[in-house]
Amino acid sequence: MSETRRWFESIQEEMAKDYSDAQLTHKEDIQRSGHEGESTWADLLSKWLPPAYGVGLRKYIIGSDDKVKPFETDIVVFEPAYPQHLRYRAKVHAGGVAAAFSVKLTARKSHFKEIAGWSKSLAELSHVDKTTVEGQLLSGIPTGFLAHSHDLGQEPVTAMAEGFDTVADTASHPRDLVDLVCVANAGTLTCNRASYLPMSSTLPGGVDFTMSSYLRMYDAQQYGAVAHFIVSLYRVLGRNDPSLQKLAVELSRVTGTGEGQGTMRKWDPKVVYDEGFLKDRYHLLFDDGRPRHY
């Protein structure tokens, strides 16, 4: 067994133990058991992310418009440049948040719509540079849903994928979608977005589209659900932090993260991109004509 595999397997074991402990607490104090679950995920992030990021619990994210109500968030990952003095405050500026997570001890189908609405609200609050493909396509704050266990039946990953696929079908823009979903004892979903697929160039009468898909990775697949979540988070944060990209690529190859299957959701590029941006469509593709994937 490789050293990397031992690392990730030990994490899976720790998460399972923490869930058992929280379940015992749940019988006595529901709120405290929930806080224990949040603390477990926050501790995991603190151990696996570079120290410059930092992690905060139960913060209120605020934007530049004081009229917009702050959004309570279970866990935030701070941008490396966010001042230490501000990290201890209850309210956190949206520009200082590298990622945000909603946490439940037990994932249920009723949570999917709730989490989708929360992610959409954060996307509206966040600031993005709309002069870039990323700014047009992605939220300024990547979001995730985390749980120790589930009440999703015998095929929890399928239930998760179908639930978030249904939510995606009703979303108004790809940036509103939840980026990462992880149930520690079941599996992980990662939202994959393709910038632009010019189908008219390959299929007569084909329609150009932008794509999103939730890739499914199972607990039993390769290194486990938590490993896939961590590696996927590196990839997400690596969009804005080149220092994480090398490790993200290496761990993706080792763990097989990103090799899951998913259902494609097509988006009209006119809905995704500003009209002026679509005039120069080469921005939406790599130099060799391939779509950009995020």
Side-chain angles (χ1 to χ4, degrees):
M1 181 186 296
S2 70
E3 190 69 21
T4 304
R5 187 152 199 155
R6 277 194 289 269
W7 293 341
F8 284 124
E9 286 193 353
S10 68
I11 293 173
Q12 289 283 154
E13 293 169 359
E14 289 174 11
M15 296 294 285
K17 181 181 182 303
D18 287 340
Y19 178 67
S20 297
D21 293 343
Q23 283 291 84
L24 293 175
T25 304
H26 187 78
K27 298 177 181 179
E28 303 172 359
D29 189 330
I30 295 176
Q31 185 178 48
R32 183 158 66 91
S33 67
H35 289 174
E36 287 178 2
E38 295 165 7
S39 296
T40 297
W41 285 103
D43 183 60
L44 174 74
L45 291 168
S46 296
K47 290 177 178 177
W48 278 88
L49 288 175
Y53 278 90
V55 177
L57 282 167
R58 293 178 290 280
K59 299 292 186 180
Y60 289 84
I61 301 177
I62 59 175
S64 57
D65 187 351
D66 291 337
K67 297 179 181 179
V68 178
K69 182 181 178 180
F71 290 93
E72 183 176 6
T73 300
D74 296 326
I75 297 176
V76 299
V77 176
F78 296 112
E79 288 282 4
Y82 198 60
Q84 289 288 339
H85 176 67
L86 298 180
R87 297 186 183 194
Y88 298 101
R89 295 178 178 270
K91 295 180 180 178
V92 180
H93 292 280
V97 178
F101 297 96
S102 180
V103 181
K104 305 288 186 184
L105 266 184
T106 305
R108 296 183 172 85
K109 292 181 180 179
S110 60
H111 293 144
F112 300 155
K113 187 175 181 180
E114 170 194 336
I115 300 303
W118 165 79
S119 180
K120 175 180 171 63
S121 296
L122 285 184
E124 294 172 347
L125 184 70
S126 68
H127 171 76
V128 292
D129 179 4
K130 290 192 175 182
T131 64
T132 67
V133 177
E134 293 87 349
Q136 291 277 316
L137 183 62
L138 305 172
S139 169
I141 301 178
T143 58
F145 174 45
L146 306 174
H148 283 72
S149 189
H150 64 87
D151 185 15
L152 300 172
Q154 295 298 315
E155 299 292 337
V157 179
T158 299
M160 288 158 53
E162 290 176 351
F164 281 96
D165 282 340
T166 298
V167 169
D169 287 339
T170 62
S172 58
H173 196 283
R175 73 167 64 95
D176 297 339
L177 303 181
V178 179
D179 292 274
L180 299 170
V181 179
C182 181
V183 176
N185 69 349
T188 298
L189 304 180
T190 62
C191 186
N192 176 40
R193 301 172 181 87
S195 59
Y196 184 72
L197 291 93
M199 296 301 292
S200 59
S201 63
T202 57
L203 295 174
V207 178
D208 301 348
F209 65 93
T210 292
M211 181 273 289
S212 68
S213 177
Y214 279 103
L215 300 182
R216 311 177 189 187
M217 287 163 280
Y218 299 85
D219 176 43
Q221 178 185 349
Q222 299 290 334
Y223 284 63
V226 178
H228 292 305
F229 161 66
I230 292 171
V231 177
S232 297
L233 180 58
Y234 283 155
R235 295 172 68 181
V236 169
L237 295 178
R239 297 170 185 165
N240 299 317
D241 186 350
S243 70
L244 291 179
Q245 293 174 6
K246 180 179 179 180
L247 182 58
V249 170
E250 180 179 337
L251 288 178
S252 293
R253 290 172 178 168
V254 171
T255 61
T257 301
E259 298 176 1
Q261 299 177 336
T263 302
M264 183 170 63
R265 164 38 158 125
K266 294 182 179 180
W267 299 82
D268 184 345
K270 294 179 181 178
V271 172
V272 179
Y273 302 103
D274 292 344
E275 182 178 350
F277 203 87
L278 285 172
K279 291 180 180 179
D280 297 319
R281 299 191 180 195
Y282 67 89
H283 287 303
L284 307 179
L285 303 170
F286 287 114
D287 292 338
D288 59 4
R290 292 181 297 112
R292 299 174 183 269
H293 280 265
Y294 301 96

